[in-house]
Amino acid sequence: MKNSIIKIGLFLAVLFLIINCGVSKKNKTKAIVDKSISTEKKETYIAKNKSERKSFLKDSDAENRWADSIYSKMDLDEKLGQLFFVSAYSNKDSVHENKIKALVENYKVGGIIFFQGGPVRQAKLTNVYQAKAKVPLFIGLDAEWGLSMRLDSTYRYPWNMTLGAIQDLNLIENVGKNMGVECKRMGIHFNFAPVLDINTNPLNPIIGNRSFGENKVNVGNKAVALMKGIQSQGVLCTGKHFPGHGDTSSDSHKTLPIVSFSKERIDELELYPYKQLFDEGLASVMVGHLNIPSLEPRENYPSSASYEVVTNMLQKQMGFDGLIFTDGLGMKGASNFKGVGDLELAVLQAGNDIFLCPDDVPTAVEKLKSFYADGQITEDRLAHSVKKILHYKYKAGLNKYKPVDLQNLQQDINGPQNDALHYKLYENAITVLKNEKEILPIKNLNQKIAYVKLGDDDNSDFITALKKYTEITEVANTNVDTLNAELKKYDLVIIGFHKINKPWEKQDFTEMELFSLQKIAENNKVIFDVFAKPYSLLPIPNFDDIEGVIVSYQNAAISQIVSAEILFGAKEAKGKLPVSINENFKVNEGLTTQKIDRLGFETPENVGMNSAILSKIDAIAQKAIDGKMAPGMQVLVARKGNVVFQKSYGYHTYDKDVKVSNTDLFDVASISKMISTLPNVMQLYDKNKVALDTKLGTMLPLFAKSNKKDISFKELLNHYAGLIAWSPFYKSTIDAKGYPLAQYYRKIPEKNFTTKVADSLFIRNDYHDTIMKFIADSPISIKKEYKYSDFTFIILKEYLERATHEKLEDLSKENFYNSIGMNYTTYNPLSRFDKNAIAPTEIDTYFRHQVIQGYVHDMAAAMEGGIAGHAGIFSNAMDVAKMMQLFLQKGSYGGKRYFSAATFDTFNTCFYCAEGVERGLGFDKRMGKDGPTCQCTSPSSFGHTGFTGNMAWVDPETEIVYVFLSNRTYPEVGEEGNKLAKEKIREDIQKIIYESIIK
């Protein structure tokens, strides 16, 4: 058990201290708490003079004339109707719709607050109801985290608690702007946000995640930023729930909560954000239903009905002259106080302007008319609120009302900018609370890592993202002892706690989960990642045995992806805890972590690309599949260190049995040269083991007396050595009918016949020597000119293995793949992967006479046992992109340098461009019409293609990595030849990529 010896020794010492110092310790703890409260109180906001305050929209003569004109034509029913803001739904039947129509037509209600439904349905109803209104209606919505708080098929932004962890206020303002744009597009004039409650009570049953946190300064700053963003779009904000619902233990929907604090405490704490927002131009306030004896001495008198709270405090003392809403009058905190009509009178006399969600408008109106008749409601009092309402209708643009345009509504409110912002929000919110011995980010990818899930919600995006970095094994067992026994095989355990992403749902650990967490942590090195509200950590007594603690706040897809990025260093942690977790972690705590240069994930917009343009790749890929150019393919685009597009298309075969997935493996053919042989050669060059002018005769004794002895290393890698292109070695080993000869092959492995070529086909082990001798004895061209040759990399493999005394497959794994996290990249993949995870490349009818699936397509590489310098690698687009990113970063990846930047620059130099050879050392750089690119890349770009239908290309100037993998050779290369190349599918996709760059 971890630290067991130390713990036994410490236990006795701690026991002694507890017995002798228990009282002092309690006093000390209390002192700390008091000091914390005291510090909070010292932060005083000095409100501006009323004349210095910002205004949402200043009054104008035109506004005054419009409001006065409308008011002067109103009868009593119309004036009273303006005070009512009724509840409506877009997911109910025609009975409900007709009821709302009647309230608009017959009772002249001034506004509608929509609840559950859908965006198009609500927009249609908005137009219907507005058409019935004599004076245009206010439309409101509780959109605290966006339209999705009430509407399906709309965008959900993070909760305020999550936003409270973000330090960059510009991001919060951008959230507000997006919300404002969406509300305005929907014909919504009021977003009943932001929540200004300071959640100092962790057990608050109704606020919680709706609050920005427990620190008044943080709440005020975040609320100001959100309000600025929303109101910048012409949508009115409503601060709530005045004077403060954050330190209550009951829900005002169900009862009247008691706030038992002094007037001084409320002024110093709860009112702090209101003062700030009033100075910044907050349009309206919602008064909560709260029992506050220090402000309203009458017993069980709700604050919403208190003249002392609404008029004296809010309007006179604090100088607020915007619109004042009650909280919903159907809530028990209000409806238990007085009956219909009497309640409306009470809140109007208290100083409210608008009755939100009244229970019974017809009854209330009749009663209010009688109160008006007997003088309990004066004309001046009525005019004060109604004219104010009309003024704000003018400010909201209702003097020039236009119906909601239904065309493209769904697309307009769910644009790509939402995801772009969402990524940034979680990148700035996710909080690291503990990082013992810098366990984060995870740098060593050679260790065995297990993942254990706690909680009952989905974790698929987290697991998928984790596995893009390294091999992760999911381990599960309901028996903790059995689970721990299984976890002994692993060096590190990641525990994810996943709870449903709904603000009012319980996100608590079960007793069993707490026990499991404790036992796993005691016996293993653990990183604990919480996809739930921070308060879920409260039951954990201490975190002594947990090395890394991360709060990811919500179990959303993007939070899971970004959290995985932070774990592996593609992003750095920036968030600060918005609330305290007992004495373990205090508000505003949060550690920064190191960003290491691994590929991350972003939306195209966040790296200066247009996702709508990138989506055109889909059509080109489908064109290739429909045209039988390839049955399946993977396409990946990365920019500025982030993958922004990764999709798979089609099936493994035209029979459409197995769909291509992002993790499937493809035979990458000649890309093997660039991502296996070449980087190992670059390392030798970097270590001065070989130079540009080193001759082949010096590199390999086999060539010392050959016609190739004076070929330089530089000429060899530039395909400027005069070597022949290739040789069909297999033809000399088959009979006239194309079947393998017995002198070369066996169907089962035998002595000297253990080199596997395909299923039930083994070649003589010494045939490698035959191949090498053929290459050594082959002719070379007399004239120095470019001629692409597979022999170059067959030779280089031989050189590498002799120079290092290791096999190429081992060199690539040890030097690159293991530490980069290229866990899907290998020779001979059937030793590690299921055949169904590998795309077939051919139905071979001329040599191996079988479906080639999991065996290399290239015949010479197959005769080398599937491991050759020029072919043999199987990989997927994500893994290939990692190596390409390493090249883009000039030899650095994941915080590790593999070779120097100078070495990379040498290999990416076009030494023979003047002679018409557009190549680097091992890299293709052709940009002309006969090259593999769209002719829109920069001269510094480089990459390689592969015979089976592949391409990997990097452009340092635009920082773009592009990977295209396919099995275009399946089922065979027909008489039409390489249709994929002829139709320029890869080039056309690359062209789309460049067109998507936002200039």
Side-chain angles (χ1 to χ4, degrees):
M1 186 178 290
K2 190 195 316 181
N3 298 330
S4 57
I5 297 174
I6 296 172
K7 286 182 178 178
I8 292 169
L10 285 172
F11 173 77
L12 297 173
V14 171
L15 183 63
F16 177 80
L17 287 169
I18 289 171
I19 293 169
N20 290 279
C21 306
V23 175
S24 325
K25 185 174 180 183
K26 286 180 184 176
N27 290 339
K28 186 177 179 182
T29 302
K30 187 174 189 299
I32 291 171
V33 173
D34 288 344
K35 184 179 178 183
S36 173
I37 293 172
S38 175
T39 304
E40 176 83 359
K41 285 184 176 181
K42 286 179 182 177
E43 291 281 357
T44 302
Y45 182 82
I46 307 299
K48 297 176 182 177
N49 292 325
K50 208 169 174 184
S51 60
E52 298 174 326
R53 285 180 175 173
K54 295 178 183 177
S55 175
F56 170 68
L57 277 175
K58 293 188 182 298
D59 292 353
S60 66
D61 290 339
E63 177 183 318
N64 292 331
R65 286 194 300 271
W66 185 83
D68 290 343
S69 172
I70 297 293
Y71 188 82
S72 67
K73 297 172 187 174
M74 283 180 165
D75 59 25
L76 179 59
D77 284 345
E78 290 171 330
K79 292 174 184 176
L80 290 173
Q82 287 300 306
L83 306 177
F84 288 87
F85 217 107
V86 300
S87 307
Y89 296 77
S90 59
N91 64 351
K92 290 191 175 183
D93 58 17
S94 59
V95 174
H96 174 76
E97 181 180 338
N98 290 332
K99 177 186 174 183
I100 304 302
K101 285 181 187 175
L103 292 176
V104 174
E105 284 188 285
N106 302 332
Y107 292 91
K108 318 300 181 187
V109 295
I112 292 173
I113 174 173
F114 276 101
F115 286 86
Q116 282 71 25
V120 177
R121 287 169 286 161
Q122 178 174 309
K124 286 179 179 178
L125 287 175
T126 296
N127 290 345
V128 168
Y129 298 148
Q130 289 283 22
K132 299 289 183 183
K134 184 176 177 182
V135 177
L137 297 161
F138 269 142
I139 303 296
L141 193 80
D142 286 309
E144 295 168 20
W145 49 86
L147 300 176
S148 80
M149 184 171 177
R150 298 300 185 213
L151 302 179
D152 59 35
S153 308
T154 56
Y155 204 83
R156 175 182 291 183
Y157 295 95
W159 304 324
N160 285 348
M161 185 70 73
T162 305
L163 300 181
I166 296 171
Q167 303 306 296
D168 185 351
L169 293 176
N170 289 324
L171 288 174
I172 311 301
E173 188 168 343
N174 287 339
V175 173
K177 286 179 181 177
N178 278 20
M179 287 180 178
V181 167
E182 291 159 23
C183 284
K184 193 166 188 176
R185 182 66 182 83
M186 285 286 299
I188 295 167
H189 313 105
F190 272 98
N191 181 352
F192 293 111
V195 172
L196 302 185
D197 303 316
I198 301 162
N199 205 76
T200 46
N201 182 359
L203 301 179
N204 192 317
I206 190 59
I207 303 303
N209 280 316
R210 299 167 68 195
S211 168
F212 290 108
E214 71 178 51
N215 178 278
K216 66 184 183 183
V217 177
N218 187 40
V219 171
N221 290 341
K222 298 293 164 44
V224 166
L226 191 72
M227 177 202 72
K228 282 182 176 179
I230 294 170
Q231 295 195 164
S232 72
Q233 303 307 305
V235 175
L236 304 160
C237 275
T238 306
K240 60 187 185 185
H241 307 83
F242 187 85
H245 205 323
D247 203 343
T248 59
S249 57
S250 56
D251 178 1
S252 54
H253 291 84
K254 301 174 181 178
T255 188
L256 183 64
I258 298 175
V259 177
S260 56
F261 301 111
S262 68
K263 188 174 182 179
E264 291 72 27
R265 140 74 194 242
I266 291 169
D267 181 66
E268 290 170 351
L269 188 67
E270 275 75 12
L271 297 184
Y272 185 96
Y274 286 95
K275 296 173 185 176
Q276 238 181 312
L277 268 72
F278 293 171
D279 283 350
E280 297 296 331
L282 178 66
S284 65
V285 164
M286 182 186 294
V287 182
H289 308 307
L290 304 164
N291 180 3
I292 314 174
S294 65
L295 302 181
E296 174 51 71
R298 289 174 288 184
E299 190 174 349
N300 294 323
Y301 219 88
S303 49
S304 54
S306 169
Y307 185 87
E308 190 61 39
V309 171
V310 182
T311 296
N312 284 344
M313 174 183 274
L314 176 58
Q315 297 179 69
K316 293 182 178 178
Q317 295 170 23
M318 301 183 73
F320 182 71
D321 54 12
L323 279 174
I324 302 172
F325 288 80
T326 67
D327 205 344
L329 294 184
M331 297 164 62
K332 295 299 182 184
S335 62
N336 287 347
F337 172 61
K338 284 182 183 292
V340 173
D342 296 315
L343 178 59
E344 281 79 1
L345 175 65
V347 296
L348 184 67
Q349 289 178 332
N352 295 279
D353 298 309
I354 296 177
F355 314 141
L356 191 63
C357 307
D359 271 345
D360 183 350
V361 173
T363 302
V365 168
E366 289 307 312
K367 281 203 170 187
L368 290 176
K369 286 164 73 174
S370 67
F371 295 141
Y372 182 87
D374 66 18
Q376 292 188 66
I377 300 174
T378 66
E379 174 59 26
D380 285 346
R381 175 66 191 89
L382 192 57
H384 171 79
S385 288
V386 176
K387 284 189 176 182
K388 195 196 295 188
I389 290 167
L390 292 173
H391 273 273
Y392 274 88
K393 286 194 172 184
Y394 184 96
K395 294 178 194 295
L398 284 171
N399 60 311
K400 296 178 181 178
Y401 164 73
K402 290 181 181 179
V404 180
D405 183 359
L406 301 178
Q407 189 172 1
N408 298 322
L409 177 62
Q410 195 78 53
Q411 298 92 312
D412 291 346
I413 61 174
N414 289 291
Q417 69 277 3
N418 295 348
D419 271 349
L421 178 58
H422 212 152
Y423 267 91
K424 288 181 180 179
L425 294 173
Y426 278 111
E427 287 164 14
N428 284 268
I430 292 175
T431 306
V432 172
L433 293 177
K434 189 175 181 183
N435 192 14
E436 192 173 290
K437 296 181 180 177
E438 294 188 337
I439 195 171
L440 295 166
I442 300 168
K443 294 179 180 177
N444 178 15
L445 301 187
N446 285 313
Q447 60 184 322
K448 292 187 70 177
I449 303 176
Y451 166 82
V452 175
K453 179 189 174 185
L454 299 178
D456 52 11
D457 203 30
D458 181 65
N459 66 338
S460 57
D461 290 293
F462 189 48
I463 289 296
T464 299
L466 291 175
K467 288 182 177 180
K468 287 182 179 180
Y469 288 102
T470 191
E471 188 172 339
I472 304 288
T473 305
E474 297 175 69
V475 181
N477 200 297
T478 53
N479 184 290
V480 179
D481 292 334
T482 306
L483 180 61
N484 263 325
E486 179 69 18
L487 291 174
K488 285 181 180 179
K489 303 174 188 176
Y490 299 91
D491 305 302
L492 175 65
V493 180
I494 298 170
I495 301 176
F497 179 56
H498 300 265
K499 296 297 289 185
I500 191 166
N501 191 30
K502 292 183 179 179
W504 293 291
E505 294 287 339
K506 284 193 173 182
Q507 297 189 326
D508 302 330
F509 288 90
T510 64
E511 290 297 324
M512 188 63 204
E513 286 171 340
L514 287 170
F515 179 72
S516 297
L517 175 64
Q518 176 191 346
K519 290 300 177 184
I520 295 170
E522 285 176 357
N523 290 276
N524 300 277
K525 188 190 293 185
V526 165
I527 295 171
F528 180 41
D529 201 339
V530 179
F531 295 92
K533 61 186 177 185
Y535 289 134
S536 63
L537 295 172
L538 287 170
I540 301 173
N542 66 72
F543 296 80
D544 296 347
D545 289 321
I546 303 174
E547 284 77 7
V549 179
I550 304 173
V551 178
S552 295
Y553 295 98
Q554 293 178 237
N555 200 38
I558 293 176
S559 68
Q560 292 186 27
I561 293 167
V562 173
S563 195
E565 291 182 276
I566 289 171
L567 256 69
F568 285 99
K571 299 286 192 297
E572 59 188 316
K574 301 175 184 176
K576 302 291 183 184
L577 197 62
V579 293
S580 297
I581 308 301
N582 298 324
E583 293 297 313
N584 294 305
F585 304 111
K586 288 299 184 184
V587 65
N588 291 328
E589 284 189 18
L591 305 172
T592 55
T593 55
Q594 184 183 2
K595 183 180 184 296
I596 53 180
D597 47 3
R598 286 192 179 118
L599 276 172
F601 303 92
E602 276 290 359
T603 62
E605 281 69 21
N606 281 345
V607 296
M609 301 177 82
N610 185 308
S611 56
I613 294 175
L614 278 176
S615 69
K616 295 179 182 179
I617 292 172
D618 295 350
I620 299 174
Q622 195 58 50
K623 173 186 172 183
I625 294 167
D626 293 343
K628 298 293 178 75
M629 301 174 210
M633 60 200 68
Q634 295 174 344
V635 179
L636 182 146
V637 181
R639 190 180 193 208
K640 298 183 179 180
N642 292 283
V643 176
V644 298
F645 186 98
Q646 184 185 10
K647 280 190 176 184
S648 294
Y649 302 91
Y651 295 80
H652 283 197
T653 70
Y654 292 114
D655 295 330
K656 298 185 177 181
D657 291 330
V658 181
K659 205 168 187 178
V660 178
S661 75
N662 286 343
T663 56
D664 284 348
L665 275 61
F666 284 81
D667 180 341
V668 302
S670 285
I671 289 178
S672 303
K673 298 167 184 170
M674 180 173 63
I675 68 172
S676 181
T677 310
L678 185 63
N680 285 293
V681 168
M682 293 171 80
Q683 280 197 342
L684 288 186
Y685 177 86
D686 200 56
K687 296 172 183 176
N688 297 316
K689 302 292 185 183
V690 65
L692 294 182
D693 58 359
T694 302
K695 305 301 182 185
L696 184 54
T698 304
M699 293 169 64
L700 283 170
L702 175 65
F703 294 91
K705 296 180 180 180
S706 74
N707 56 358
K708 302 169 186 66
K709 65 180 180 180
D710 293 325
I711 295 173
S712 70
F713 180 68
K714 180 170 72 172
E715 291 170 334
L716 189 66
L717 279 167
N718 271 279
H719 297 278
Y720 200 62
L723 301 176
I724 62 174
W726 75 296
S727 176
F729 296 112
Y730 75 96
K731 286 189 175 180
S732 60
T733 68
I734 58 176
D735 62 21
K737 293 182 178 180
Y739 285 90
L741 292 166
Q743 68 191 88
Y744 296 109
Y745 298 96
R746 296 290 185 272
K747 290 185 178 181
I748 59 173
E750 296 178 8
K751 184 179 181 182
N752 299 324
F753 288 83
T754 58
T755 302
K756 195 170 189 179
V757 177
D759 282 337
S760 302
L761 192 64
F762 298 83
I763 196 170
R764 285 171 48 165
N765 295 345
D766 63 0
Y767 201 81
H768 168 75
D769 299 332
T770 303
I771 291 173
M772 292 307 301
K773 187 175 186 307
F774 178 92
I775 293 172
D777 294 343
S778 64
I780 58 174
S781 59
I782 298 172
K783 182 183 177 183
K784 286 279 186 180
E785 61 182 356
Y786 167 76
K787 183 179 282 189
Y788 183 84
S789 174
D790 281 345
F791 288 0
T792 292
F793 281 85
I794 294 174
I795 292 168
L796 286 171
K797 173 181 178 283
E798 189 78 2
Y799 165 66
L800 279 169
E801 293 183 344
R802 284 181 175 270
T804 63
H805 306 290
E806 287 194 62
K807 296 293 184 183
L808 176 59
E809 64 267 35
D810 296 328
L811 285 171
S812 292
K813 284 181 183 177
E814 293 166 10
N815 292 341
F816 295 95
Y817 301 163
N818 290 345
S819 54
I820 291 173
M822 293 174 67
N823 299 298
Y824 292 91
T825 305
T826 185
Y827 294 95
N828 293 321
L830 290 172
S831 62
R832 289 179 51 204
F833 296 93
D834 186 271
K835 183 179 280 189
N836 287 329
I838 307 166
T841 52
E842 187 178 24
I843 300 175
D844 185 336
T845 59
Y846 55 89
F847 170 34
R848 289 164 280 189
H849 298 276
Q850 58 187 267
V851 175
I852 304 304
Q853 186 172 12
Y855 296 99
V856 63
H857 176 270
D858 184 272
M859 292 72 77
M863 297 169 76
E864 293 275 36
I867 305 166
H870 70 294
I873 284 290
F874 287 74
S875 189
N876 59 34
M878 185 70 213
D879 267 20
V880 173
K882 292 175 185 178
M883 183 63 78
M884 302 310 287
Q885 188 68 26
L886 183 149
F887 289 140
L888 178 59
Q889 292 166 181
K890 297 188 175 185
S892 176
Y893 192 86
K896 179 178 178 179
R897 179 152 290 284
Y898 292 85
F899 45 78
S900 69
T903 288
F904 172 79
D905 287 339
T906 299
F907 276 70
N908 194 34
T909 299
C910 188
F911 288 100
Y912 297 104
C913 268
E915 290 81 8
V917 183
E918 293 182 290
R919 299 194 77 95
L921 300 181
F923 295 119
D924 194 348
K925 296 179 67 67
R926 291 173 296 158
M927 293 174 57
K929 63 180 181 179
D930 296 325
T933 71
C934 60
Q935 300 178 51
C936 47
T937 57
S938 73
S940 62
S941 72
F942 59 91
H944 218 288
T945 55
F947 183 79
T948 49
N950 311 307
M951 181 177 183
W953 209 267
V954 171
D955 192 338
E957 288 191 21
T958 56
E959 298 181 74
I960 284 176
V961 172
Y962 164 44
V963 181
F964 178 101
L965 303 182
S966 77
N967 57 338
R968 68 102 189 165
T969 51
Y970 187 89
E972 63 180 357
V973 179
E975 294 180 2
E976 294 174 305
N978 190 346
K979 288 176 66 180
L980 193 78
K982 289 177 179 177
E983 293 289 333
K984 296 190 176 297
I985 295 298
R986 293 168 293 188
E987 295 91 326
D988 286 349
I989 289 176
Q990 191 175 45
K991 187 177 180 181
I992 291 294
I993 293 167
Y994 278 76
E995 287 175 356
S996 77
I997 296 173
I998 299 169
K999 302 295 191 287

